[in-house]
Every structure is written in structure tokens, then in C-alpha cells.
Amino acid sequence: MYEMWAEHDPAVSPPAVVWHVVAKDDANSSLCGRFLEPSQRVVPAGDAAAEAPGPDRYCDPCLITVREALAAGAR
Ligand SMILES: [Zn+2]
């Protein structure tokens, strides 16, 4: 099982929320190897998306890993 994890990416301007993917059995880091700091987590709530400074982005390495896992028949 996978979970989505949103973080503000400080490396981009204007600041954007980046979605990573976290495996349920390893919640300390994302699939792309990023260490996840719970205090950095962004929890979208209600119409928060309308207030976001920029469009959400998705972490490519994370998505590729998920795609490969699904293609391999992981369950
Ligand atoms: Zn990632």
C-alpha cells in the first residue's frame, strides 16, 4: 500500500507543493529516498488548494517507482 505525502519544496520559486509517495511499511522516507519530516508535511484541507501559490507537482522518481512496482505485480 502506498500513501501520498505532500511537502513544500523549498528549492522552487514560487513555492510549490510536491507530492511524494510513501510505502506504508516504510514511512520514514519516500520512494525517491527523501527523508520525510512530519513537521514539513502539508495537509491539504478543504479549499486550501485555491489558496496555494502554485500548482501542485508530483515527484517523478516516486511515481516511476510506483509504476514499476505495479507493473511487477507487487501486492
Ligand atoms: Zn519523491
Side-chain angles (χ1 to χ4, degrees), residues 1-2 21 31 62-75:
M1 286 294 295
Y2 297 106
V21 184
L31 296 185
C62 279
L63 293 184
I64 291 170
T65 301
V66 169
R67 244 179 248 135
E68 288 177 347
L70 293 177
R75 40 185 176 266

Side-chain angles (χ1 to χ4, degrees), residues 22-47:
V22 183
K24 287 274 193 186
D25 56 356
D26 180 13
N28 290 321
S29 64
S30 62
L31 296 185
C32 65
R34 181 181 178 86
F35 178 76
L36 297 175
E37 181 61 53
S39 65
Q40 297 295 313
R41 185 172 194 177
V42 176
V43 180
D47 56 2

